[in-house]
């Protein structure tokens, strides 16, 4: 299978996350965990900074977590002009306890009123589209019944 | 005490006017030449004798292009500090190290920007190095990415909006007295602030730094040489750079710090090397790409605890001449203008000289912080002769 994101490849940053996008495009949410010491590494990298191993297992994770941070974009920014018609849209950073607290970004789906850090969210996968630069993407949606009380620091 | 502490000083400052982004009548390289020659003139140094050149981020006016027009006799040292505005005070570190190691004598630190010359936002600021994790999800600008951190600072840690406003009000108050300030005519009020357009929540327009064309330069020499020059030296007491474990290119995965500036260890090293504490600082130029990030810097530097941000950050506390911690006395990145933070360095020096348009009387310790939340950052403490 030819992957959409590979045909629209964005270069920049560490560039070790191809398997993340490939999995998403296959309909699976996977994150990398060190094959040796089992520590989660996110964003993906080439070597485990904890034990020094070079191999990672891409492990299927249930896309559930808590809102760690979010912003509602109100302006059409230069390099994400594809989202212009969606303004205002909300991007969420979700903390995923099942993956060592990895924080994964995604555009919010559904009700964005009263959004707050600590709220429980569930992810679904969107197929590649122009808005997501022809990459697949995870979308977070608030689960009303659950939320986490976080301690202020 | 390290050999670094107090062995070099800033002896010259030069700045072009600030222009609205994309409207500079002169190209970037020419602005750099103007700032460097102005700094040499200010110091009473022959511009041809400058033999070290340092900038940060993705500066385009490199020494190779500058030297024919400056009449440079010899370039002995040239370097660029990695990353974005986080590199600003670290330029002092590199300059001092080069001088201490005998590799250069007179070092120019400078930054020049003019959008027409260099596609500023896409190339010069972002360096075409943004992860698809952001771009796919509608995020590209520092305003949006730092808005995530601001949301965390406000919703999770409980820092109130009033603290953000106080930094804005203080910046524009100072800008009014500064004829160079691009935002000097803005009449800031809670209404003006609250009614400004939303950019990326929680940020509205005035929470964000300006975007300007312009250039600025400071000259660094050994303290010994500094004593024989025309201006009162601003000694470099400490200017550490770095990132702690749990930081770096981790996108939104910084731990344990996220909502502040990632400068706590840096600041701790600076206090240790300089022998001073936050309580001793007379005046501070706090880098504000966004206002909440500057609040994070002040927390990391120990000026107040997270839970006291609302009580500490009031207009009265943040203004010259007699606030508890006068900040951004030229107007800073919000009110004066923004050429990647470079305007903060000359203002920190003017406070030591006693020549700021919002002078803190008898200022002896002058702080300048680097880009908060940058992948790597830095901070610097400048001092008058008495602080050595």
């Amino acid at each position: 299978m030819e992957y959409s994101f590979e045909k629209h490849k964005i270069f920049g940053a560490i560039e070790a996350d191809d398997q993340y996008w490939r999995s998403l495009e296959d309909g699976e949410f996977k994150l990398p965990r060190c094959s040796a010491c089992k520590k989660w590494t996110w964003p993906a990298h080439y070597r485990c900074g904890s034990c020094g191993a070079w191999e990672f297992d891409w492990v299927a994770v249930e896309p559930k977590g808590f809102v760690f941070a979010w912003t509602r974009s109100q302006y059409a920014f230069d390099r994400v002009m594809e989202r212009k018609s969606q303004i205002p849209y909300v991007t969420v950073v979700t903390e995923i306890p099942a993956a060592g607290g990895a924080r994964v970004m995604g555009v919010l789906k559904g009700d964005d009123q009263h959004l707050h850090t600590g709220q429980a969210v569930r992810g679904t996968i969107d197929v590649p589209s122009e808005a997501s630069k022809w990459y697949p993407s995870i979308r977070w949606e608030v689960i009303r019944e659950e939320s986490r009380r976080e301690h202020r620091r | 005490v390290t050999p670094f502490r107090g062995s070099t000083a800033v002896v010259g400052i030069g700045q072009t006017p600030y222009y609205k982004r994309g409207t500079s009548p002169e190209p970037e390289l020419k602005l750099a030449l103007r700032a460097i020659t102005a700094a040499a003139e200010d110091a009473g140094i022959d511009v041809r004798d400058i033999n070290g050149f340092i900038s940060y981020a993705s500066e385009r006016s490199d020494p190779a292009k500058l030297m024919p027009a400056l009449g440079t006799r010899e370039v002995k040292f040239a370097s660029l500090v990695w990353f974005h505005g986080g590199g600003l005070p670290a330029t002092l570190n590199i300059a001092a190290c080069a001088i201490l190691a005998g590799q250069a004598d007179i070092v120019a630190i400078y930054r020049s920007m003019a959008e027409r010359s260099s596609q500023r936002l896409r190339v010069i600021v972002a360096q075409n190095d943004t992860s698809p994790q952001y771009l796919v999800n509608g995020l590209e600008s520092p305003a949006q990415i730092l808005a995530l951190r601001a949301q965390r600072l406000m919703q999770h840690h409980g820092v109130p909006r009033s603290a953000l406003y106080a930094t804005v009000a203080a910046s524009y108050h100072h800008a009014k007295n500064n004829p160079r300030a691009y935002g000097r005519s803005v009449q800031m009020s809670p209404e003006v602030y609250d009614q400004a357009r939303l950019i990326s929540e929680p940020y509205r327009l005035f929470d964000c730094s300006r975007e300007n064309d312009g250039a600025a330069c400071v000259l660094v020499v050994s303290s010994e040489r500094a004593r024989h020059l025309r201006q009162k030296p601003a000694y470099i007491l400490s200017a550490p750079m770095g990132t702690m474990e749990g930081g770096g290119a981790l996108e939104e995965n910084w731990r344990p710090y996220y909502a502040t500036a990632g400068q706590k260890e840096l600041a701790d090293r600076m206090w240790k090397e300089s022998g001073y504490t936050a309580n001793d600082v007379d005046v501070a130029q706090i880098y504000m790409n966004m206002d909440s990030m500057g609040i994070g810097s002040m927390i990391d530097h120990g000026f107040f605890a997270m839970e006291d941000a609302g009580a500490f950050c009031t207009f009265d506390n943040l203004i010259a001449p007699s606030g508890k911690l006068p900040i951004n006395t030229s107007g800073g990145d919000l009110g004066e203008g923004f050429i990647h933070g470079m305007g903060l360095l000359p203002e920190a020096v003017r406070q030591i000289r006693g020549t700021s348009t919002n002078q803190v009387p008898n200022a002896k310790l002058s702080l300048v912080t680097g880009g908060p939340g940058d992948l790597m950052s830095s901070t610097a403490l400048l001092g008058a002769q008495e602080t050595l």
Side-chain angles (χ1 to χ4, degrees), chain A residues 10-14 17 20-21 42-43 67-75 77-80 83 89 91-93 95 100-107 115-118 131-133 135-138 150-153, chain B residues 21 121-122 126 128-145 147-149 151-152 154-158 197-202 249-260 306-307:
Chain A
I10 298 165
F11 296 96
I14 295 168
D17 58 0
Y20 173 79
W21 303 113
W42 188 254
V67 174
F68 186 81
W70 61 275
T71 185
R72 187 182 284 111
S73 296
Q74 299 272 4
Y75 176 83
F77 288 94
D78 182 35
R79 290 181 297 157
V80 289
R83 297 259 175 201
Y89 59 90
T91 308
V92 175
V93 178
E95 187 176 55
R103 299 176 199 149
V104 180
M105 288 177 262
V107 173
L115 190 63
H116 204 284
T117 55
S132 57
K133 297 185 178 285
Y135 271 55
S137 64
I138 189 96
E150 291 184 300
H151 293 290
R152 277 185 182 174
R153 175 173 81 78
Chain B
R21 184 175 82 199
L121 294 176
R122 210 175 258 264
N128 269 354
D129 197 30
T130 308
S131 159
Q133 299 287 343
Y134 289 110
L135 297 171
V136 164
N137 295 304
L139 300 177
E140 70 101 347
S141 158
Q144 293 172 292
I145 293 166
L148 295 168
R149 321 238 173 130
Q151 201 69 264
R152 182 82 185 165
M154 296 169 77
Q155 280 199 339
H156 179 69
H157 296 294
R197 63 191 169 91
L198 285 161
I199 303 295
S200 192
E201 292 175 45
L250 287 173
E251 297 164 7
E252 298 309 301
N253 285 265
W254 279 51
R255 297 182 183 81
Y257 316 114
Y258 177 81
T260 56
M306 185 93 85
E307 53 273 25

Side-chain angles (χ1 to χ4, degrees), chain A residues 46-60:
Chain A
Y46 299 106
R47 179 178 180 274
C48 175
S50 290
C51 78
W54 296 87
E55 301 298 322
F56 291 91
D57 300 320
W58 285 81
V59 181

Side-chain angles (χ1 to χ4, degrees), chain A residues 102-139:
Chain A
R103 299 176 199 149
V104 180
M105 288 177 262
V107 173
L108 190 80
K109 190 170 166 177
D111 184 14
D112 71 355
Q113 296 307 301
H114 315 296
L115 190 63
H116 204 284
T117 55
Q119 279 179 319
V121 290
R122 182 190 295 124
T124 51
I125 297 168
D126 270 15
V127 296
S129 70
E130 192 190 355
S132 57
K133 297 185 178 285
W134 302 106
Y135 271 55
S137 64
I138 189 96
R139 302 283 306 274

Side-chain angles (χ1 to χ4, degrees), chain B residues 4-28:
Chain B
F4 184 98
R5 185 189 184 279
S7 58
T8 57
V10 178
V11 295
I13 57 181
Q15 276 175 280
T16 69
Y18 290 95
Y19 303 101
K20 187 182 168 66
R21 184 175 82 199
T23 68
S24 169
E26 298 183 328
E28 204 164 83

